[in-house]
Amino acid sequence: MVMFPEGGIENDYPPQLQEFKNGPFRLAIEQQIPVLAVTSLNTWKVFWDDGLKYGSRPGICQIFVHKSIETAGLSVDDADTLKNRVFNIINSKIAEKN
């Protein structure tokens, strides 16, 4: 299952990583399923949406799949910690490439 924990995308360009919601992390903990963070760096340049029109142009999307994060042994009380950990992993990769 793929989830986008941001819960929305702002219309700012270049797009900025938005605060994550807790739901996907609570679900992963409740089901004891590892979380696999994925960073997509330039997808917004290849698949664009200016609010009036959307489309795509030729290009290569830079996507990074990070090491999975185990949830075994975590409780729903750990959801904020897990959420922040995943956010920091993705945001660090974005900062590294900018």
Side-chain angles (χ1 to χ4, degrees):
M1 176 184 304
V2 175
M3 294 185 145
F4 296 90
E6 292 176 270
I9 300 172
E10 298 292 325
N11 289 326
D12 300 329
Y13 285 91
Q16 301 294 310
L17 191 61
Q18 302 297 310
E19 183 179 348
F20 286 177
K21 308 285 185 184
N22 279 357
F25 306 99
R26 288 181 58 95
L27 180 62
I29 290 170
E30 288 170 356
Q31 299 301 313
Q32 296 290 282
I33 298 170
V35 172
L36 187 62
V38 177
T39 303
S40 176
L41 292 175
N42 65 334
T43 307
W44 64 275
K45 292 179 182 178
V46 177
F47 298 101
W48 51 270
D49 177 356
D50 65 9
L52 300 173
K53 296 186 290 182
Y54 59 90
S56 64
R57 60 181 53 94
I60 297 172
C61 295
Q62 295 176 341
I63 299 185
F64 296 87
V65 179
H66 303 276
K67 184 178 175 185
S68 64
I69 301 168
E70 289 297 325
T71 60
L74 298 180
S75 72
V76 291
D77 293 335
D78 299 313
D80 280 336
T81 302
L82 179 60
K83 172 184 75 171
N84 292 334
R85 182 175 175 193
V86 173
F87 182 91
N88 289 333
I89 288 169
I90 293 171
N91 205 37
S92 292
K93 189 62 164 179
I94 292 170
E96 172 187 310
K97 290 297 180 177
N98 285 339

